[in-house]
Amino acid sequence: MKKISRTKLKMIKGAQMNGCGRCSTSGNYGDGPEYTYSCMSFWGLSPECRNCVDVSADCYGPDYSDFYNR
């Protein structure tokens, strides 16, 4: 089974239909130089837009548990 990125997956599902049309989906989120935006920027997005972007699993680590355990 081949993994599909969120970007490609949202195109299959239809970005306009699931509310991603008003979200900025350029770039990716995570800790480190290979990411466009930081994890804190990810948690600053609205909950709807968080489902529309590429994010590293690092953003769900212990350093960010206050954000995702709500």
Side-chain angles (χ1 to χ4, degrees):
M1 182 175 245
K2 185 177 177 181
K3 282 185 154 186
I4 299 175
S5 71
R6 276 194 188 196
T7 306
K8 290 182 180 177
L9 183 60
K10 75 179 177 192
M11 291 305 187
I12 292 170
K13 292 180 75 176
Q16 299 300 323
M17 293 174 57
N18 67 4
C20 294
R22 58 178 203 256
C23 301
S24 173
T25 56
S26 63
N28 52 12
Y29 294 81
D31 288 332
E34 66 272 17
Y35 297 102
T36 311
Y37 304 106
S38 69
C39 287
M40 289 308 294
S41 297
F42 170 73
W43 289 108
L45 296 172
S46 69
E48 295 83 17
C49 289
R50 281 187 224 139
N51 293 325
C52 300
V53 297
D54 290 326
V55 63
S56 168
D58 296 339
C59 293
Y60 290 93
D63 293 342
Y64 302 101
S65 62
D66 290 343
F67 297 101
Y68 66 83
N69 282 331
R70 291 183 194 177

